[in-house]
mmCIF file of all heavy atoms in Angstrom:
data_model
loop_
_atom_site.group_PDB
_atom_site.id
_atom_site.type_symbol
_atom_site.label_atom_id
_atom_site.label_comp_id
_atom_site.label_asym_id
_atom_site.label_seq_id
_atom_site.Cartn_x
_atom_site.Cartn_y
_atom_site.Cartn_z
ATOM 1 N N ALA A 1 6.688 95.464 9.614
ATOM 2 C CA ALA A 1 6.762 94.736 8.346
ATOM 3 C C ALA A 1 7.087 95.664 7.184
ATOM 4 O O ALA A 1 7.986 95.394 6.383
ATOM 5 C CB ALA A 1 5.438 94.017 8.087
ATOM 6 N N VAL A 2 6.353 96.771 7.084
ATOM 7 C CA VAL A 2 6.583 97.688 5.961
ATOM 8 C C VAL A 2 7.935 98.374 6.093
ATOM 9 O O VAL A 2 8.613 98.646 5.090
ATOM 10 C CB VAL A 2 5.423 98.698 5.851
ATOM 11 C CG1 VAL A 2 5.455 99.721 6.980
ATOM 12 C CG2 VAL A 2 5.448 99.413 4.507
ATOM 13 N N LEU A 3 8.369 98.628 7.315
ATOM 14 C CA LEU A 3 9.670 99.249 7.537
ATOM 15 C C LEU A 3 10.787 98.305 7.105
ATOM 16 O O LEU A 3 11.738 98.710 6.410
ATOM 17 C CB LEU A 3 9.816 99.616 9.012
ATOM 18 C CG LEU A 3 11.094 100.331 9.423
ATOM 19 C CD1 LEU A 3 11.213 101.681 8.729
ATOM 20 C CD2 LEU A 3 11.140 100.506 10.940
ATOM 21 N N LEU A 4 10.706 97.055 7.503
ATOM 22 C CA LEU A 4 11.723 96.075 7.135
ATOM 23 C C LEU A 4 11.734 95.826 5.628
ATOM 24 O O LEU A 4 12.801 95.665 5.027
ATOM 25 C CB LEU A 4 11.481 94.766 7.888
ATOM 26 C CG LEU A 4 11.765 94.826 9.394
ATOM 27 C CD1 LEU A 4 11.154 93.625 10.108
ATOM 28 C CD2 LEU A 4 13.273 94.894 9.664
ATOM 29 N N CYS A 5 10.553 95.808 5.023
ATOM 30 C CA CYS A 5 10.492 95.601 3.579
ATOM 31 C C CYS A 5 11.044 96.797 2.821
ATOM 32 O O CYS A 5 11.612 96.643 1.731
ATOM 33 C CB CYS A 5 9.058 95.294 3.148
ATOM 34 S SG CYS A 5 8.531 93.609 3.580
ATOM 35 N N SER A 6 10.905 97.979 3.386
ATOM 36 C CA SER A 6 11.514 99.145 2.742
ATOM 37 C C SER A 6 13.037 99.020 2.768
ATOM 38 O O SER A 6 13.722 99.414 1.821
ATOM 39 C CB SER A 6 11.061 100.441 3.419
ATOM 40 O OG SER A 6 11.614 100.587 4.717
ATOM 41 N N ALA A 7 13.575 98.448 3.861
ATOM 42 C CA ALA A 7 15.017 98.187 3.923
ATOM 43 C C ALA A 7 15.418 97.154 2.874
ATOM 44 O O ALA A 7 16.455 97.299 2.202
ATOM 45 C CB ALA A 7 15.404 97.700 5.318
ATOM 46 N N LEU A 8 14.611 96.112 2.702
ATOM 47 C CA LEU A 8 14.921 95.076 1.717
ATOM 48 C C LEU A 8 14.886 95.630 0.295
ATOM 49 O O LEU A 8 15.692 95.225 -0.552
ATOM 50 C CB LEU A 8 13.939 93.911 1.854
ATOM 51 C CG LEU A 8 14.089 93.048 3.108
ATOM 52 C CD1 LEU A 8 13.015 91.970 3.155
ATOM 53 C CD2 LEU A 8 15.475 92.420 3.181
ATOM 54 N N LEU A 9 13.965 96.546 0.027
ATOM 55 C CA LEU A 9 13.903 97.150 -1.303
ATOM 56 C C LEU A 9 15.164 97.955 -1.590
ATOM 57 O O LEU A 9 15.697 97.934 -2.707
ATOM 58 C CB LEU A 9 12.657 98.022 -1.424
ATOM 59 C CG LEU A 9 11.326 97.282 -1.551
ATOM 60 C CD1 LEU A 9 10.159 98.257 -1.500
ATOM 61 C CD2 LEU A 9 11.280 96.464 -2.840
ATOM 62 N N ARG A 10 15.650 98.678 -0.596
ATOM 63 C CA ARG A 10 16.901 99.418 -0.781
ATOM 64 C C ARG A 10 18.071 98.460 -0.975
ATOM 65 O O ARG A 10 18.943 98.691 -1.818
ATOM 66 C CB ARG A 10 17.162 100.327 0.423
ATOM 67 C CG ARG A 10 16.275 101.570 0.479
ATOM 68 C CD ARG A 10 16.647 102.433 1.668
ATOM 69 N NE ARG A 10 15.771 103.575 1.825
ATOM 70 C CZ ARG A 10 16.052 104.816 1.420
ATOM 71 N NH1 ARG A 10 17.192 105.042 0.797
ATOM 72 N NH2 ARG A 10 15.202 105.805 1.610
ATOM 73 N N ASN A 11 18.079 97.380 -0.185
ATOM 74 C CA ASN A 11 19.139 96.381 -0.353
ATOM 75 C C ASN A 11 19.117 95.785 -1.760
ATOM 76 O O ASN A 11 20.165 95.566 -2.377
ATOM 77 C CB ASN A 11 18.972 95.256 0.670
ATOM 78 C CG ASN A 11 19.262 95.697 2.088
ATOM 79 O OD1 ASN A 11 19.836 96.756 2.313
ATOM 80 N ND2 ASN A 11 18.863 94.885 3.043
ATOM 81 N N GLU A 12 17.911 95.516 -2.250
ATOM 82 C CA GLU A 12 17.763 94.921 -3.575
ATOM 83 C C GLU A 12 18.318 95.841 -4.651
ATOM 84 O O GLU A 12 18.985 95.387 -5.596
ATOM 85 C CB GLU A 12 16.284 94.629 -3.833
ATOM 86 C CG GLU A 12 16.008 93.858 -5.109
ATOM 87 C CD GLU A 12 14.544 93.484 -5.223
ATOM 88 O OE1 GLU A 12 13.700 94.425 -5.333
ATOM 89 O OE2 GLU A 12 14.222 92.285 -5.193
ATOM 90 N N ARG A 13 18.070 97.134 -4.520
ATOM 91 C CA ARG A 13 18.587 98.091 -5.501
ATOM 92 C C ARG A 13 20.124 98.149 -5.465
ATOM 93 O O ARG A 13 20.753 98.553 -6.446
ATOM 94 C CB ARG A 13 17.991 99.477 -5.256
ATOM 95 C CG ARG A 13 16.507 99.576 -5.579
ATOM 96 C CD ARG A 13 16.037 101.004 -5.667
ATOM 97 N NE ARG A 13 16.022 101.673 -4.384
ATOM 98 C CZ ARG A 13 14.980 101.692 -3.557
ATOM 99 N NH1 ARG A 13 13.866 101.046 -3.871
ATOM 100 N NH2 ARG A 13 15.037 102.345 -2.412
ATOM 101 N N GLU A 14 20.690 97.747 -4.341
ATOM 102 C CA GLU A 14 22.147 97.738 -4.199
ATOM 103 C C GLU A 14 22.742 96.372 -4.559
ATOM 104 O O GLU A 14 23.954 96.153 -4.389
ATOM 105 C CB GLU A 14 22.528 98.119 -2.768
ATOM 106 C CG GLU A 14 22.140 99.554 -2.407
ATOM 107 C CD GLU A 14 22.359 99.874 -0.938
ATOM 108 O OE1 GLU A 14 22.835 98.983 -0.195
ATOM 109 O OE2 GLU A 14 22.042 101.005 -0.531
ATOM 110 N N GLY A 15 21.894 95.446 -5.021
ATOM 111 C CA GLY A 15 22.376 94.144 -5.450
ATOM 112 C C GLY A 15 22.310 93.049 -4.409
ATOM 113 O O GLY A 15 22.937 91.999 -4.572
ATOM 114 N N PHE A 16 21.523 93.269 -3.330
ATOM 115 C CA PHE A 16 21.411 92.282 -2.262
ATOM 116 C C PHE A 16 19.934 91.954 -2.003
ATOM 117 O O PHE A 16 19.324 92.496 -1.085
ATOM 118 C CB PHE A 16 22.056 92.797 -0.976
ATOM 119 C CG PHE A 16 23.520 93.089 -1.099
ATOM 120 C CD1 PHE A 16 23.962 94.385 -1.314
ATOM 121 C CD2 PHE A 16 24.450 92.065 -1.031
ATOM 122 C CE1 PHE A 16 25.313 94.653 -1.427
ATOM 123 C CE2 PHE A 16 25.808 92.327 -1.143
ATOM 124 C CZ PHE A 16 26.237 93.627 -1.353
ATOM 125 N N PRO A 17 19.341 91.077 -2.804
ATOM 126 C CA PRO A 17 17.924 90.740 -2.614
ATOM 127 C C PRO A 17 17.677 89.974 -1.323
ATOM 128 O O PRO A 17 18.557 89.260 -0.825
ATOM 129 C CB PRO A 17 17.601 89.882 -3.837
ATOM 130 C CG PRO A 17 18.919 89.277 -4.220
ATOM 131 C CD PRO A 17 19.952 90.331 -3.913
ATOM 132 N N GLY A 18 16.486 90.125 -0.764
ATOM 133 C CA GLY A 18 16.108 89.424 0.450
ATOM 134 C C GLY A 18 14.600 89.302 0.527
ATOM 135 O O GLY A 18 13.868 89.895 -0.270
ATOM 136 N N ARG A 19 14.138 88.537 1.506
ATOM 137 C CA ARG A 19 12.698 88.266 1.639
ATOM 138 C C ARG A 19 12.289 88.397 3.094
ATOM 139 O O ARG A 19 13.032 88.003 4.005
ATOM 140 C CB ARG A 19 12.399 86.855 1.142
ATOM 141 C CG ARG A 19 10.925 86.514 1.032
ATOM 142 C CD ARG A 19 10.315 87.133 -0.187
ATOM 143 N NE ARG A 19 8.865 86.865 -0.269
ATOM 144 C CZ ARG A 19 8.052 87.479 -1.123
ATOM 145 N NH1 ARG A 19 8.543 88.375 -1.967
ATOM 146 N NH2 ARG A 19 6.768 87.206 -1.139
ATOM 147 N N TYR A 20 11.107 88.962 3.328
ATOM 148 C CA TYR A 20 10.533 89.117 4.668
ATOM 149 C C TYR A 20 9.333 88.184 4.828
ATOM 150 O O TYR A 20 8.491 88.076 3.922
ATOM 151 C CB TYR A 20 10.071 90.561 4.876
ATOM 152 C CG TYR A 20 9.133 90.752 6.056
ATOM 153 C CD1 TYR A 20 9.617 91.056 7.329
ATOM 154 C CD2 TYR A 20 7.753 90.612 5.907
ATOM 155 C CE1 TYR A 20 8.763 91.222 8.406
ATOM 156 C CE2 TYR A 20 6.885 90.778 6.982
ATOM 157 C CZ TYR A 20 7.395 91.083 8.226
ATOM 158 O OH TYR A 20 6.541 91.244 9.287
ATOM 159 N N TYR A 21 9.263 87.522 5.992
ATOM 160 C CA TYR A 21 8.082 86.737 6.362
ATOM 161 C C TYR A 21 7.632 87.178 7.753
ATOM 162 O O TYR A 21 8.418 87.162 8.711
ATOM 163 C CB TYR A 21 8.396 85.236 6.387
ATOM 164 C CG TYR A 21 8.718 84.664 5.034
ATOM 165 C CD1 TYR A 21 10.040 84.523 4.624
ATOM 166 C CD2 TYR A 21 7.705 84.278 4.158
ATOM 167 C CE1 TYR A 21 10.356 84.013 3.372
ATOM 168 C CE2 TYR A 21 8.011 83.759 2.899
ATOM 169 C CZ TYR A 21 9.329 83.634 2.518
ATOM 170 O OH TYR A 21 9.636 83.128 1.269
ATOM 171 N N GLY A 22 6.379 87.595 7.843
ATOM 172 C CA GLY A 22 5.790 87.917 9.125
ATOM 173 C C GLY A 22 4.780 86.864 9.496
ATOM 174 O O GLY A 22 4.137 86.271 8.622
ATOM 175 N N THR A 23 4.628 86.578 10.796
ATOM 176 C CA THR A 23 3.631 85.603 11.236
ATOM 177 C C THR A 23 2.663 86.273 12.199
ATOM 178 O O THR A 23 3.066 87.098 13.021
ATOM 179 C CB THR A 23 4.282 84.397 11.939
ATOM 180 O OG1 THR A 23 4.798 84.798 13.219
ATOM 181 C CG2 THR A 23 5.423 83.834 11.101
ATOM 182 N N ASP A 24 1.398 85.931 12.079
ATOM 183 C CA ASP A 24 0.395 86.479 12.985
ATOM 184 C C ASP A 24 -0.843 85.594 12.957
ATOM 185 O O ASP A 24 -1.227 85.070 11.905
ATOM 186 C CB ASP A 24 0.015 87.909 12.598
ATOM 187 C CG ASP A 24 -0.485 88.706 13.788
ATOM 188 O OD1 ASP A 24 -1.588 88.397 14.303
ATOM 189 O OD2 ASP A 24 0.218 89.622 14.244
ATOM 190 N N ILE A 25 -1.464 85.460 14.114
ATOM 191 C CA ILE A 25 -2.669 84.630 14.218
ATOM 192 C C ILE A 25 -3.918 85.380 13.784
ATOM 193 O O ILE A 25 -4.947 84.790 13.483
ATOM 194 C CB ILE A 25 -2.811 84.100 15.664
ATOM 195 C CG1 ILE A 25 -3.746 82.890 15.700
ATOM 196 C CG2 ILE A 25 -3.263 85.213 16.617
ATOM 197 C CD1 ILE A 25 -3.721 82.144 17.018
ATOM 198 N N ASP A 26 -3.842 86.714 13.726
ATOM 199 C CA ASP A 26 -4.972 87.559 13.345
ATOM 200 C C ASP A 26 -5.022 87.685 11.823
ATOM 201 O O ASP A 26 -4.096 88.225 11.208
ATOM 202 C CB ASP A 26 -4.817 88.946 13.973
ATOM 203 C CG ASP A 26 -5.973 89.879 13.641
ATOM 204 O OD1 ASP A 26 -6.880 89.481 12.880
ATOM 205 O OD2 ASP A 26 -5.965 91.025 14.141
ATOM 206 N N PRO A 27 -6.097 87.217 11.175
ATOM 207 C CA PRO A 27 -6.168 87.272 9.709
ATOM 208 C C PRO A 27 -6.247 88.682 9.147
ATOM 209 O O PRO A 27 -6.090 88.877 7.941
ATOM 210 C CB PRO A 27 -7.442 86.479 9.386
ATOM 211 C CG PRO A 27 -8.270 86.570 10.623
ATOM 212 C CD PRO A 27 -7.297 86.582 11.761
ATOM 213 N N HIS A 28 -6.482 89.676 10.005
ATOM 214 C CA HIS A 28 -6.554 91.068 9.556
ATOM 215 C C HIS A 28 -5.241 91.811 9.772
ATOM 216 O O HIS A 28 -5.141 93.004 9.458
ATOM 217 C CB HIS A 28 -7.670 91.805 10.301
ATOM 218 C CG HIS A 28 -9.024 91.204 10.108
ATOM 219 N ND1 HIS A 28 -9.708 91.248 8.913
ATOM 220 C CD2 HIS A 28 -9.824 90.510 10.974
ATOM 221 C CE1 HIS A 28 -10.864 90.635 9.037
ATOM 222 N NE2 HIS A 28 -10.958 90.177 10.269
ATOM 223 N N ALA A 29 -4.242 91.128 10.307
ATOM 224 C CA ALA A 29 -2.973 91.793 10.624
ATOM 225 C C ALA A 29 -2.205 92.139 9.349
ATOM 226 O O ALA A 29 -2.408 91.549 8.296
ATOM 227 C CB ALA A 29 -2.121 90.888 11.513
ATOM 228 N N GLY A 30 -1.317 93.120 9.484
ATOM 229 C CA GLY A 30 -0.404 93.447 8.395
ATOM 230 C C GLY A 30 -0.981 94.283 7.278
ATOM 231 O O GLY A 30 -0.490 94.222 6.152
ATOM 232 N N TYR A 31 -2.005 95.104 7.571
ATOM 233 C CA TYR A 31 -2.629 95.864 6.484
ATOM 234 C C TYR A 31 -1.697 96.919 5.884
ATOM 235 O O TYR A 31 -1.901 97.378 4.753
ATOM 236 C CB TYR A 31 -3.938 96.517 6.937
ATOM 237 C CG TYR A 31 -3.814 97.570 8.016
ATOM 238 C CD1 TYR A 31 -3.454 98.873 7.708
ATOM 239 C CD2 TYR A 31 -4.091 97.256 9.346
ATOM 240 C CE1 TYR A 31 -3.369 99.843 8.698
ATOM 241 C CE2 TYR A 31 -3.996 98.223 10.337
ATOM 242 C CZ TYR A 31 -3.640 99.515 10.006
ATOM 243 O OH TYR A 31 -3.556 100.464 10.983
ATOM 244 N N LEU A 32 -0.639 97.301 6.601
ATOM 245 C CA LEU A 32 0.310 98.267 6.044
ATOM 246 C C LEU A 32 1.233 97.651 4.994
ATOM 247 O O LEU A 32 1.839 98.372 4.193
ATOM 248 C CB LEU A 32 1.167 98.876 7.159
ATOM 249 C CG LEU A 32 0.470 99.828 8.124
ATOM 250 C CD1 LEU A 32 1.445 100.289 9.209
ATOM 251 C CD2 LEU A 32 -0.097 101.035 7.393
ATOM 252 N N LEU A 33 1.345 96.331 4.982
ATOM 253 C CA LEU A 33 2.209 95.654 4.014
ATOM 254 C C LEU A 33 1.462 95.531 2.691
ATOM 255 O O LEU A 33 0.821 94.529 2.388
ATOM 256 C CB LEU A 33 2.641 94.282 4.529
ATOM 257 C CG LEU A 33 3.688 93.562 3.666
ATOM 258 C CD1 LEU A 33 4.950 94.399 3.514
ATOM 259 C CD2 LEU A 33 4.029 92.207 4.253
ATOM 260 N N ALA A 34 1.542 96.586 1.909
ATOM 261 C CA ALA A 34 0.848 96.697 0.630
ATOM 262 C C ALA A 34 1.845 97.164 -0.416
ATOM 263 O O ALA A 34 2.989 97.510 -0.092
ATOM 264 C CB ALA A 34 -0.313 97.681 0.760
ATOM 265 N N PRO A 35 1.457 97.160 -1.709
ATOM 266 C CA PRO A 35 2.393 97.588 -2.756
ATOM 267 C C PRO A 35 2.980 98.966 -2.470
ATOM 268 O O PRO A 35 2.284 99.838 -1.965
ATOM 269 C CB PRO A 35 1.501 97.614 -4.014
ATOM 270 C CG PRO A 35 0.418 96.620 -3.723
ATOM 271 C CD PRO A 35 0.156 96.755 -2.255
ATOM 272 N N PRO A 36 4.270 99.152 -2.754
ATOM 273 C CA PRO A 36 5.203 98.205 -3.401
ATOM 274 C C PRO A 36 5.946 97.311 -2.415
ATOM 275 O O PRO A 36 6.732 96.452 -2.824
ATOM 276 C CB PRO A 36 6.198 99.160 -4.073
ATOM 277 C CG PRO A 36 6.291 100.308 -3.115
ATOM 278 C CD PRO A 36 4.892 100.486 -2.586
ATOM 279 N N TYR A 37 5.688 97.480 -1.133
ATOM 280 C CA TYR A 37 6.494 96.800 -0.108
ATOM 281 C C TYR A 37 6.218 95.299 -0.042
ATOM 282 O O TYR A 37 7.100 94.526 0.348
ATOM 283 C CB TYR A 37 6.274 97.475 1.244
ATOM 284 C CG TYR A 37 6.604 98.947 1.187
ATOM 285 C CD1 TYR A 37 5.597 99.898 1.020
ATOM 286 C CD2 TYR A 37 7.917 99.390 1.229
ATOM 287 C CE1 TYR A 37 5.896 101.256 0.917
ATOM 288 C CE2 TYR A 37 8.234 100.743 1.124
ATOM 289 C CZ TYR A 37 7.213 101.667 0.965
ATOM 290 O OH TYR A 37 7.518 103.011 0.847
ATOM 291 N N ASP A 38 5.022 94.885 -0.439
ATOM 292 C CA ASP A 38 4.713 93.457 -0.388
ATOM 293 C C ASP A 38 5.388 92.664 -1.501
ATOM 294 O O ASP A 38 5.260 91.440 -1.557
ATOM 295 C CB ASP A 38 3.200 93.231 -0.405
ATOM 296 C CG ASP A 38 2.526 93.763 -1.664
ATOM 297 O OD1 ASP A 38 3.198 94.483 -2.449
ATOM 298 O OD2 ASP A 38 1.334 93.492 -1.861
ATOM 299 N N SER A 39 6.108 93.350 -2.385
ATOM 300 C CA SER A 39 6.844 92.635 -3.427
ATOM 301 C C SER A 39 8.021 91.853 -2.848
ATOM 302 O O SER A 39 8.540 90.931 -3.495
ATOM 303 C CB SER A 39 7.352 93.615 -4.492
ATOM 304 O OG SER A 39 8.313 94.513 -3.945
ATOM 305 N N VAL A 40 8.446 92.206 -1.636
ATOM 306 C CA VAL A 40 9.569 91.499 -1.002
ATOM 307 C C VAL A 40 9.161 90.868 0.333
ATOM 308 O O VAL A 40 10.021 90.438 1.106
ATOM 309 C CB VAL A 40 10.774 92.441 -0.785
ATOM 310 C CG1 VAL A 40 11.372 92.850 -2.111
ATOM 311 C CG2 VAL A 40 10.374 93.659 0.034
ATOM 312 N N GLY A 41 7.855 90.819 0.610
ATOM 313 C CA GLY A 41 7.431 90.264 1.892
ATOM 314 C C GLY A 41 6.007 89.753 1.873
ATOM 315 O O GLY A 41 5.207 90.128 1.014
ATOM 316 N N GLN A 42 5.691 88.910 2.847
ATOM 317 C CA GLN A 42 4.344 88.379 2.976
ATOM 318 C C GLN A 42 4.071 87.982 4.418
ATOM 319 O O GLN A 42 5.004 87.794 5.214
ATOM 320 C CB GLN A 42 4.140 87.172 2.059
ATOM 321 C CG GLN A 42 4.947 85.948 2.452
ATOM 322 C CD GLN A 42 4.811 84.811 1.465
ATOM 323 O OE1 GLN A 42 5.598 84.697 0.521
ATOM 324 N NE2 GLN A 42 3.797 83.973 1.679
ATOM 325 N N ILE A 43 2.778 87.873 4.751
ATOM 326 C CA ILE A 43 2.347 87.470 6.089
ATOM 327 C C ILE A 43 1.911 86.008 6.051
ATOM 328 O O ILE A 43 1.125 85.616 5.176
ATOM 329 C CB ILE A 43 1.180 88.348 6.593
ATOM 330 C CG1 ILE A 43 1.499 89.829 6.425
ATOM 331 C CG2 ILE A 43 0.872 88.011 8.046
ATOM 332 C CD1 ILE A 43 2.690 90.306 7.185
ATOM 333 N N LEU A 44 2.412 85.220 6.987
ATOM 334 C CA LEU A 44 1.976 83.831 7.159
ATOM 335 C C LEU A 44 0.996 83.806 8.322
ATOM 336 O O LEU A 44 1.381 84.034 9.468
ATOM 337 C CB LEU A 44 3.175 82.923 7.438
ATOM 338 C CG LEU A 44 4.329 82.989 6.429
ATOM 339 C CD1 LEU A 44 5.484 82.094 6.888
ATOM 340 C CD2 LEU A 44 3.856 82.583 5.033
ATOM 341 N N PHE A 45 -0.271 83.536 8.041
ATOM 342 C CA PHE A 45 -1.298 83.583 9.080
ATOM 343 C C PHE A 45 -1.426 82.236 9.780
ATOM 344 O O PHE A 45 -1.332 81.184 9.164
ATOM 345 C CB PHE A 45 -2.635 84.009 8.469
ATOM 346 C CG PHE A 45 -2.613 85.413 7.930
ATOM 347 C CD1 PHE A 45 -2.567 85.650 6.568
ATOM 348 C CD2 PHE A 45 -2.628 86.494 8.796
ATOM 349 C CE1 PHE A 45 -2.535 86.937 6.068
ATOM 350 C CE2 PHE A 45 -2.594 87.789 8.310
ATOM 351 C CZ PHE A 45 -2.545 88.020 6.942
#
């Protein structure tokens, strides 16, 4: 998630915005997706 969002942040700086959605049944999943990377992504539990 954080790796893909880092790619999206670079894309955004180049004029190509995008959004990441991750899905997981574990409510504790995705702890690495934190600022600034969560500005372009979120987890759907």
Side-chain angles (χ1 to χ4, degrees):
V2 72
L3 183 63
L4 290 165
C5 285
S6 70
L8 290 177
L9 286 173
R10 286 182 184 261
N11 291 346
E12 187 174 65
R13 290 195 290 270
E14 295 173 1
F16 299 98
R19 189 77 183 168
Y20 164 91
Y21 294 96
T23 71
D24 206 291
I25 199 168
D26 181 357
H28 301 290
Y31 64 82
L32 290 177
L33 187 58
Y37 303 98
D38 61 350
S39 65
V40 292
Q42 68 185 91
I43 310 299
L44 306 177
F45 295 106

